[in-house]
Amino acid sequence: MNLKHSNDIKAEAKRLGFFTCGIAKATRVSQEVETHLRCWLAEGMNADMEWMNNYLDKRLDPRLLMDGLKSIVSIAMSYVPQKTLPSDEPQIAAYALGLDYHDVVKQKLHQLAAAIYGEENVKTANYRVFVDSGPVLERYWAEQAGLGWVGKNRQLIIPHAGSMFFLGELFLDFETEYDHPITNRCGKCTKCIDHCPTHALSDSRKFDAQLCLSYQTIENRQELSHEAKKHMGKFIYGCDRCQQICPWNRFAEPNHTPEFQPREELLNMTVDKWKKLSVEDYRRLFKGSAVKRVKYKGLMRNISNLFSKFEP
Ligand code: SF4
Ligand code: SF4
């Protein structure tokens, strides 16, 4: 074992390009979170994302995901873009402007594991990495590891840095020094709730995925809902409104990860070019991108909703 102490692990995480890192003891999630998740699922708030019902036992107790799990390292990596799409052209959620974060963040987490266990031992070491990939409540664990708090917009908010971060977890088989949750600092603010165009957010923390434009434009394989069509505005993939309005994102600093910078071709897209997007254009423009999740057909469905809005 090369790195055993929390401070050394965090220093290495920073060296690898993670914005912040914290460590929590692996336990079952709190009763409050379990009750909330069970009610949320029972009420069908997950829309048709059935996979959220899968492996609920593991989601509630990560120790069932790895024998000997003792510690959960939680990391955050910024995706605040250095360059954005022109504001008068169709928009894509900021997190999807660069290459697919799953691969980039996972690779860095494996590098962190190699630094912890030693290059010579890492192949046989008992650890796991997750990046929005397994049944892991990643915002809960980021909160437990003291990275920030889950705001009313359901994003993890890092004090004085905002919410535009990818999260990832490294499961370790040894104990170390642990961090602790910090106080929720949303206070009386309700800006994200007030600005959500489809009322997907509420003060009671009841997030309704069916109403959310991110769900509608990315996960929904059917027709867009009437509400989505009415409110998606210029967004053709995802929606950033509840993050853009959050006062904590005033502190957001652009990321310097080469893989997360948008391609020039994407920055130069116009309504006209989106309208004429061919399958070949789509494949080239989004090679290795998270936008592949919606597939060509889904993206064109979203784009077609824009035509009337941009026509004279
Ligand atoms: S992503 Fe958009 S639609 Fe979804 S909760 Fe945020 S503001 Fe509302
Ligand atoms: S907009 Fe206000 S209420 Fe919403 S997450 Fe940000 S600070 Fe919290």
Side-chain angles (χ1 to χ4, degrees), residues 152-155 191-193 195-202 207-209 211-216 231 235 238-245:
K152 290 174 194 167
N153 61 2
R154 311 309 303 135
Q155 305 293 322
K191 282 180 185 246
C192 53
I193 297 171
H195 280 78
C196 172
T198 54
H199 308 290
L201 300 167
S202 76
F207 166 68
D208 189 339
L211 295 177
C212 177
L213 293 169
S214 278
Y215 163 79
Q216 283 287 331
H231 295 291
F235 274 96
C239 167
D240 281 336
R241 291 178 183 91
C242 55
Q243 297 206 82
Q244 287 165 341
I245 197 70

